[in-house]
Amino acid sequence: MSKKSFIEANRISFSYPSYEGEIPSLVLDGIDVSIEEGEFVAVLGHNGSGKSTLAKHFNAILVPTEGSVSVSGISTAEEARLFEIRQEVGMVFQNPDNQIVATIIEEDVAFALENLGVPPAEIRERVDDALRKVDMYDYRLHAPNQLSGGQKQRIAIAGIVAMRPKCVVLDEPTAMLDPKGRREVMKTVKQLNKELGITVVIITHYMDEAAMCDRVVVVDDGKIIMDSTPEKVFGNVELIKERGLDVPQVTELCHELRKEGIDIPESVLTEEECVAVLENLLKGGAQNG
Amino acid sequence: MLKDITFGQYFPGDSIIHRLDPRMKLILIIVYIVLLFVADGLFSLLIGAAMGIAFYALSKLPWKLVIKCIKPIMPIIIFTAVLNIFFVEGDPIFEWKFISVSGKGVLTAVLMCIRIICLIAGSSLLTYTTTPIALTDGLERLMKPLQKIKVPVHELSMMMTIALRFIPTLIDETQKIMAAQKARGADMESGNIIEKAKALIPILIPLFVSAFRRADELALAMECRCYHGGEGRTRMKQLKLTAKDFGAAIFVAGGFAAVILMNMFGPEVFRL
Ligand SMILES: Nc1ncnc2c1ncn2[C@@H]1O[C@H](COP(=O)(O)OP(=O)(O)O)[C@@H](O)[C@H]1O
Ligand SMILES: [Mg+2]
């Protein structure tokens, strides 16, 4: 028997229930994807391509009409083990306001644990721990509406982290935030992955965020059209643009320079790398001339 | 301006009354209301009034709050008093043409006024010194036994909590929508009542649409956090009765006993 991946989607298709007489359109169309423990995966795709629908299959909010999804070997169709799955794979959504339930921050972070019937003393400990991990411990007694968007989003993350999940799926967590909030949230998400070893799947529209990940999956029209490292995916600038997506600014710049015949390695992704390469080139150019 | 209505009832403080367990406060206020109706004479009722005054003094809240909570029901108090004075039968102490006032009528009116004032002031003190969320929590725990007869106690308290959570959010949103409609030239200040009500429609419709969208997303987020009703649910914060709660209970019990004794052995004057 082959070892199963942490999350494994096997040829899944899905269509939302439709009105009588209407032909249901496939939102997911035979997707095959597996996610290993500890990975940091970005999911890209334009609006309506089925990213959120796919994400909802990872913690049994939706079950595929065809094919199967398993989390830690448990099939998401197994209703009796629903809470086990949701505890392993937590989910954070776009609008920070619409996922905070309680009027006091620490009570909101405790919400999942209360639902799971964890003993009070242990809840307290895990809530404090989760709040420290997202760096919001000092705000534990505040009301949600006293916080900024980025802070609220970190509280939402803490509410999930308190469950001690193996994986967090974030559905465009930074889409409604200002640049400062985005930075805070991305820093927290990176910490989850690098320091706590939590598997992260992040759906995003920001290409610089995708460039931070270890793996990029591009979804288009319910199918996965690319699934590789950010270098490889963004290396294919033409295809990405054809699908109505952007590439990170750095990639775009390098691509244009390469077209002009300037030699820049394909692996350049971050601003720092780009600056270093360009500096080198300019120095080299100065010496030659 | 809109923000005032949100938590206008609660006055933060650190007095002993503020720190009492919400469950104890709820029980004691019920006992206190019963006490007010058990008292059948002026002297018994004055004991009840004295207890109310003692509670207010202990809460360290400004006295003008009593006036604030009585004001809205002033018409009712006056109306009851007038009815009692003129329509209670008894030996007349004052007669003029067809109007006759009996001693009993005056006494009933006075007792009724004291009762209503104490009742309103007492229950207002509860909301003045307890956050809405603590009240909800206390109510849920007190009513837990009702779950056996299928009262959805947990669900009601969850709804209450979510309502409290979203009031500030929706108020913010209302203000944004109002500003947006004004920017499009909506006129909300002028006109008669009907015109003003009509001007509310372009505010209420987007507000409702957004509230439904929020509800949808919140439900999803709750599902992701394993919410499945009140069954098997624990709470992080446990309410614990402490010495001061028992102290308060003894105080109210003592007051109750005093009222009953006064009813039985007190002077026979000013009785109904
Ligand atoms: N609850 C729903 N009911 C019916 N159709 C839906 C629902 N949610 C999404 N869809 C449809 O499914 C498609 C994919 O949506 P979604 O997964 O949200 O895409 P993305 O997150 O990539 O923008 C869209 O065409 C959308 O209209
Ligand atoms: Mg989406």
Side-chain angles (χ1 to χ4, degrees):
Chain A
M1 219 176 91
S2 66
K3 191 185 164 294
K4 276 210 166 178
S5 314
F6 173 54
I7 297 179
E8 203 162 276
N10 233 321
R11 305 215 60 77
I12 55 170
S13 296
F14 181 82
S15 46
Y16 284 98
S18 57
Y19 296 108
E20 232 171 299
E22 238 181 286
I23 308 152
S25 59
L26 276 183
V27 176
L28 300 183
D29 186 5
I31 285 191
D32 251 325
V33 69
S34 56
I35 290 161
E36 307 297 332
E37 245 174 84
E39 270 193 305
F40 191 170
V41 185
V43 178
L44 300 181
H46 62 77
N47 274 335
S49 57
K51 306 179 299 290
S52 301
T53 309
L54 177 62
K56 284 175 194 159
H57 278 80
F58 292 160
N59 69 343
I61 292 291
L62 296 175
V63 265
T65 19
E66 264 169 66
S68 66
V69 182
S70 70
V71 174
S72 286
I74 310 168
S75 161
T76 56
E78 250 186 88
E79 280 200 26
R81 302 178 75 179
L82 204 58
F83 298 129
E84 258 175 87
I85 294 172
R86 296 214 177 130
Q87 201 180 339
E88 294 221 325
V89 182
M91 212 160 161
V92 174
F93 298 91
Q94 187 180 75
N95 191 330
D97 264 324
N98 298 352
Q99 36 187 334
I100 297 182
V101 187
T103 45
I104 302 169
I105 294 307
E106 61 174 15
E107 297 215 357
D108 186 73
V109 177
F111 184 70
L113 302 180
E114 293 180 335
N115 291 333
L116 290 165
V118 176
E122 192 186 335
I123 298 185
R124 179 81 256 174
E125 189 191 305
R126 283 165 72 169
V127 165
D128 289 348
D129 185 50
L131 281 168
R132 284 201 191 91
K133 278 176 184 152
V134 299
D135 206 11
M136 289 293 291
Y137 184 70
D138 296 337
Y139 294 88
R140 65 189 179 284
L141 295 178
H142 284 231
N145 49 309
Q146 291 171 306
L147 303 184
S148 72
Q151 289 173 322
K152 281 186 221 172
Q153 207 57 306
R154 276 147 69 202
I155 293 303
I157 295 175
I160 296 300
V161 167
M163 290 199 285
R164 310 235 161 112
K166 288 210 185 104
C167 172
V168 180
V169 179
L170 303 103
D171 191 349
E172 301 188 29
T174 55
M176 296 181 73
L177 305 180
D178 57 8
K180 181 165 170 289
R182 271 183 63 196
R183 271 198 303 278
E184 286 170 18
V185 169
M186 282 316 286
K187 185 169 155 255
T188 312
V189 172
K190 247 196 204 160
Q191 266 172 5
L192 292 188
N193 182 257
K194 301 288 178 272
E195 287 165 29
L196 306 174
I198 295 176
T199 313
V200 171
V201 177
I202 180 168
I203 299 174
T204 180
H205 274 299
Y206 294 105
M207 297 306 144
D208 51 330
E209 290 175 6
M212 285 182 201
C213 301
D214 305 331
R215 176 176 164 194
V216 176
V217 173
V218 184
V219 177
D220 188 41
D221 203 13
K223 295 189 190 69
I224 291 183
I225 53 165
M226 277 192 262
D227 180 355
S228 188
T229 58
E231 289 83 357
K232 289 241 175 69
V233 169
F234 294 128
N236 208 334
V237 178
E238 248 71 77
L239 179 58
I240 293 264
K241 292 210 150 171
E242 199 182 293
R243 301 297 171 154
L245 292 171
D246 273 333
V247 291
Q249 270 183 342
V250 172
T251 315
E252 173 109 57
L253 175 66
C254 295
H255 181 70
E256 292 300 322
L257 290 173
R258 244 176 257 129
K259 269 208 272 189
E260 297 297 315
I262 297 165
D263 176 37
I264 293 174
E266 293 278 336
S267 62
V268 175
L269 258 186
T270 63
E271 274 172 40
E272 291 80 37
E273 288 168 355
C274 184
V275 170
V277 168
L278 290 182
E279 258 179 7
N280 243 335
L281 273 177
L282 290 175
K283 269 189 214 143
Q287 273 160 13
N288 286 347
Chain B
M1 143 281 310
L2 271 174
K3 279 228 150 90
D4 294 342
I5 58 169
T6 332
F7 299 107
Q9 280 294 315
Y10 175 66
F11 289 84
D14 197 32
S15 74
I16 181 156
I17 304 278
H18 282 88
R19 280 179 291 135
L20 285 180
D21 188 313
R23 290 172 300 175
M24 188 52 95
K25 277 196 258 195
L26 279 161
I27 293 176
L28 293 184
I29 196 70
I30 292 168
V31 174
Y32 182 65
I33 291 171
V34 172
L35 172 151
L36 290 175
F37 285 92
V38 165
D40 69 353
L42 183 64
F43 291 109
S44 326
L45 202 51
L46 284 179
I47 297 177
M51 287 169 69
I53 292 170
F55 282 139
Y56 260 96
L58 282 174
S59 75
K60 299 195 182 122
L61 290 174
W63 291 97
K64 64 168 196 285
L65 283 183
V66 184
I67 314 228
K68 191 185 152 195
C69 67
I70 300 294
K71 225 187 216 162
I73 54 146
M74 216 54 212
I76 298 177
I77 295 180
I78 293 172
F79 184 67
T80 330
V82 169
L83 273 188
N84 278 308
I85 289 177
F86 294 111
F87 294 106
V88 171
E89 308 276 321
D91 307 326
I93 51 168
F94 170 83
E95 265 178 310
W96 180 69
K97 290 192 182 163
F98 60 91
I99 297 174
S100 88
V101 175
S102 66
K104 199 171 165 212
V106 174
L107 182 63
T108 318
V110 170
L111 293 188
M112 226 41 211
C113 288
I114 300 180
R115 260 189 206 129
I116 297 177
I117 290 174
C118 286
L119 193 151
I120 298 300
S123 31
S124 301
L125 186 64
L126 177 71
T127 53
Y128 286 157
T129 60
T130 323
T131 57
I133 201 74
L135 263 183
T136 312
D137 223 25
L139 265 175
E140 180 184 0
R141 284 167 217 236
L142 276 182
M143 307 217 300
K144 208 138 236 162
L146 294 185
Q147 240 154 14
K148 291 220 175 63
I149 54 166
K150 301 245 157 36
V151 180
V153 175
H154 165 76
E155 284 73 11
L156 287 174
S157 115
M158 196 71 210
M159 282 189 242
M160 187 71 201
T161 310
I162 291 174
L164 288 170
R165 152 74 184 85
F166 277 93
I167 286 171
T169 312
L170 291 178
I171 287 176
D172 274 350
E173 188 151 27
T174 315
Q175 273 162 348
K176 265 185 214 148
I177 296 173
M178 272 161 83
Q181 300 293 26
K182 273 186 197 155
R184 289 180 176 77
D187 174 13
M188 275 165 259
E189 263 92 48
S190 58
N192 58 26
I193 282 204
I194 295 173
E195 277 161 6
K196 273 186 186 162
K198 269 191 187 157
L200 278 182
I201 293 174
I203 295 167
L204 289 181
I205 289 178
L207 189 66
F208 268 94
V209 170
S210 126
F212 277 113
R213 206 192 52 238
R214 284 181 193 281
D216 220 27
E217 288 181 20
L218 185 74
L220 187 60
M222 285 167 73
E223 254 187 274
C224 286
R225 291 204 265 161
C226 305
Y227 181 70
H228 54 109
E231 206 179 316
R233 205 172 131 80
T234 48
R235 300 302 303 270
M236 171 170 74
K237 287 202 184 125
Q238 299 293 308
L239 292 177
K240 259 219 319 267
L241 294 176
T242 57
K244 50 183 182 301
D245 296 305
F246 294 112
I250 290 170
F251 178 75
V252 172
F256 209 104
V259 166
I260 289 175
L261 288 177
M262 189 63 90
N263 276 351
M264 288 161 67
F265 306 114
E268 283 302 321
V269 289
F270 303 133
R271 293 267 194 135
L272 281 184

